[in-house]
């Protein structure tokens, strides 16, 4: 419990809670059949035993194709530790199996390292019990809703920049209407609402989790949504393919006018800053506390877990600050364009 609180990161806490509920429900179902022939176990199996089994399996399963693809059990290969600078990799053997191959000559007594996949520290922590302090795939999760957008605009100093036509957009499946617009803006609101539905950021099938950080820098749906919200009308983006609206690449031509592109990226600065403000402690305070905590945790599993949680949130804060600086750089480049 102390380690979970020390994470200071609700998305991972929610995953832990979800797994705990599953284990409790499973153990309850087992208890109901324990005295029958349908019970698969010969001894009592409670939630703690199931938790151990889940950890034993998840820590030996690999998501080599990414977090959205099924994990695979790879006996013997699971003895390899993880590194994003790996010296080995896994490839299909052509007969339905997987084999381990070296990427270069490996000297004797050198550890064999494989890449467990393009996984954020959330997955590494929950499935394998460690994090990578310099994980290039790490990100923070934010919830795309009116609260995030308004706070991001406030922190970025963009409250005076109008979201034309958005006065009547419902932010979540008839839950509320944000501003109650009228008149000519109604047509623009309908267009923007339609685009947000296409991005799955509005409507009954919406997935409101958006990410900041990692190789992609920002969830393309989030960036596209901000460009749509800041656009005056559909004509302003009609020359841009819908699939490119979430692109941050510098070779992509301006989506909007210079001023609005700057507003988009400063709003992303505000969103990332809002995410950083969700941590009660500062990065500097965490870094100062870590050496003492790690030293005192040498003989205690519980304290080692708290130290790992501290390392996790340090990595998250670095991820956020790196993203903020990149957003500032992009906004500066946009500002300097003719």
């Amino acid at each position: 419990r102390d380690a979970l609180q020390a994470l200071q990161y609700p998305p991972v806490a929610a995953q832990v809670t979800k797994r705990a509920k599953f284990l409790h429900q499973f153990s309850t179902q087992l208890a109901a059949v324990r005295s029958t022939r349908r019970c698969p176990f010969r001894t009592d199996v409670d939630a703690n035993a199931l938790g151990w089994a889940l950890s034993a399996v998840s820590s030996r399963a690999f998501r080599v194709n990414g977090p959205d693809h099924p994990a695979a059990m790879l006996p013997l290969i699971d003895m390899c530790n993880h590194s994003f600078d790996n010296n080995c990799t896994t490839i299909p053997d052509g007969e339905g199996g997987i084999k381990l191959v070296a990427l270069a000559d490996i000297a004797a007594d050198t550890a064999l390292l494989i890449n467990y996949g393009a996984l954020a520290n959330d997955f590494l922590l929950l499935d394998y019990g460690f994090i990578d302090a310099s994980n290039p795939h790490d990100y923070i999760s934010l919830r795309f809703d009116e609260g995030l957008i308004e706070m991001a605009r406030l922190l970025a100093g963009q409250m005076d920049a109008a979201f034309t036509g958005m006065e009547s957009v419902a932010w979540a499946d008839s839950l509320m209407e944000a501003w109650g617009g009228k008149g000519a803006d109604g047509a623009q609101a309908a267009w923007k609402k339609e685009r947000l539905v296409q991005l799955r950021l509005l409507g009954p099938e919406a997935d409101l989790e958006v990410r900041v950080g990692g190789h992609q820098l920002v969830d393309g749906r989030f960036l596209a949504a901000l460009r749509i919200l800041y656009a005056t009308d559909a004509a302003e983006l009609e020359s841009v393919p819908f699939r490119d609206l979430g692109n941050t690449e510098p070779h992509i031509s301006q989506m909007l006018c210079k001023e609005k592109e700057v507003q988009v990226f400063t709003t992303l600065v505000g969103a990332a800053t809002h995410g950083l403000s969700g941590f009660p402690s500062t990065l500097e305070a965490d870094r100062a506390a870590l050496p003492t905590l790690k030293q005192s945790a040498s003989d205690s599993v519980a304290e080692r877990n708290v130290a790992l949680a501290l390392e996790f949130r340090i990595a998250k804060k670095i991820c956020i600050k790196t993203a903020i600086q990149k957003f500032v750089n992009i906004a500066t480049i946009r500002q300097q364009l003719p």
Side-chain angles (χ1 to χ4, degrees), residues 149-150 153 157-167 179 185 192 225-233 236 256 259-260 263-264 267:
I149 298 300
E150 292 305 289
R153 296 176 73 203
Q158 297 295 330
M159 289 301 290
D160 292 335
F163 279 176
T164 306
M166 288 306 294
E167 291 81 357
W179 294 287
D185 283 344
K192 294 185 177 188
L226 289 178
R227 283 176 166 145
I228 290 166
L229 292 172
Y230 276 115
T232 303
D233 51 41
E236 195 168 0
L256 300 170
E259 290 74 17
K260 289 183 180 178
Q263 289 168 354
V264 165
T267 300

Side-chain angles (χ1 to χ4, degrees), residues 133 276 283 287 313-323:
L276 186 62
L283 175 59
R287 280 173 163 166
R313 74 182 194 229
I314 286 174
K316 286 294 181 188
K317 292 172 185 178
I318 292 174
C319 170
I320 299 171
K321 289 198 169 188
T322 299

Side-chain angles (χ1 to χ4, degrees), residues 25-296:
Q25 292 170 353
F26 192 12
S27 65
T28 301
Q29 292 169 348
L30 281 178
V33 299
R34 191 166 293 154
S35 60
T36 72
R37 292 184 178 181
R38 293 185 296 147
C39 183
F41 303 108
R42 295 183 178 180
T43 59
D44 289 346
V45 177
D46 58 14
N48 289 330
L50 290 171
W52 174 88
L54 177 63
S55 297
V57 171
S58 67
S59 63
R60 289 166 174 78
F62 299 94
R63 298 178 182 270
V64 292
N65 292 318
D68 299 325
H69 295 271
M73 299 289 289
L74 304 177
L76 296 182
I77 293 177
D78 63 15
M79 297 177 67
C80 297
N81 284 332
H82 162 80
S83 174
F84 289 118
D85 187 23
N86 49 305
N87 55 16
C88 294
T89 190
T90 56
I91 61 172
D93 66 1
E95 299 179 355
I98 297 290
K99 61 183 179 181
L100 182 70
V101 298
L103 295 174
D105 291 339
I106 301 175
D109 299 322
T110 300
L112 300 182
L113 304 173
I114 63 174
N115 186 340
Y116 287 4
L119 306 176
N121 280 336
D122 307 44
F123 285 93
L124 295 180
L125 179 65
L126 289 173
D127 287 345
Y128 306 109
F130 68 86
I131 67 130
D132 189 317
S134 56
N135 188 343
H137 306 289
D138 206 16
Y139 57 77
I140 63 161
S141 295
L142 301 171
R143 180 180 174 82
F144 182 87
D145 57 19
E146 183 186 9
L148 172 65
I149 298 300
E150 292 305 289
M151 184 58 69
R153 296 176 73 203
L154 176 64
L155 292 172
Q158 297 295 330
M159 289 301 290
D160 292 335
F163 279 176
T164 306
M166 288 306 294
E167 291 81 357
S168 62
V169 166
W171 282 96
D173 206 22
S174 302
L175 178 65
M176 62 177 289
E177 293 223 345
W179 294 287
K182 302 176 182 179
D185 283 344
Q188 301 308 327
W191 165 72
K192 294 185 177 188
K193 184 174 180 179
E194 179 183 342
R195 294 296 181 268
L196 291 179
V197 171
Q198 283 183 269
L199 293 170
R200 293 188 303 112
L201 291 173
L202 197 65
E205 298 182 3
D207 174 9
L208 299 181
E209 179 190 336
V210 293
R211 299 172 179 179
V212 170
H215 277 313
Q216 193 177 1
L217 183 56
V218 59
D219 189 323
R221 298 183 308 138
F222 190 15
L223 178 54
L226 289 178
R227 283 176 166 145
I228 290 166
L229 292 172
Y230 276 115
T232 303
D233 51 41
E236 195 168 0
L237 291 172
E238 65 181 359
S239 64
V240 182
F242 188 72
R243 66 180 181 275
D244 287 341
L245 283 176
N247 205 318
T248 61
E249 293 299 319
H251 67 272
I252 299 294
S253 62
Q254 288 283 101
M255 304 289 180
L256 300 170
C257 67
K258 177 173 70 175
E259 290 74 17
K260 289 183 180 178
E261 280 288 294
V262 171
Q263 289 168 354
V264 165
F265 283 96
T266 53
T267 300
L268 286 172
V269 170
T273 302
H274 178 54
L276 186 62
S277 69
F279 292 92
S281 58
T282 66
L283 175 59
E284 292 71 23
D286 288 349
R287 280 173 163 166
L290 184 59
T292 302
L293 183 58
K294 293 180 73 172
Q295 185 175 6
S296 65

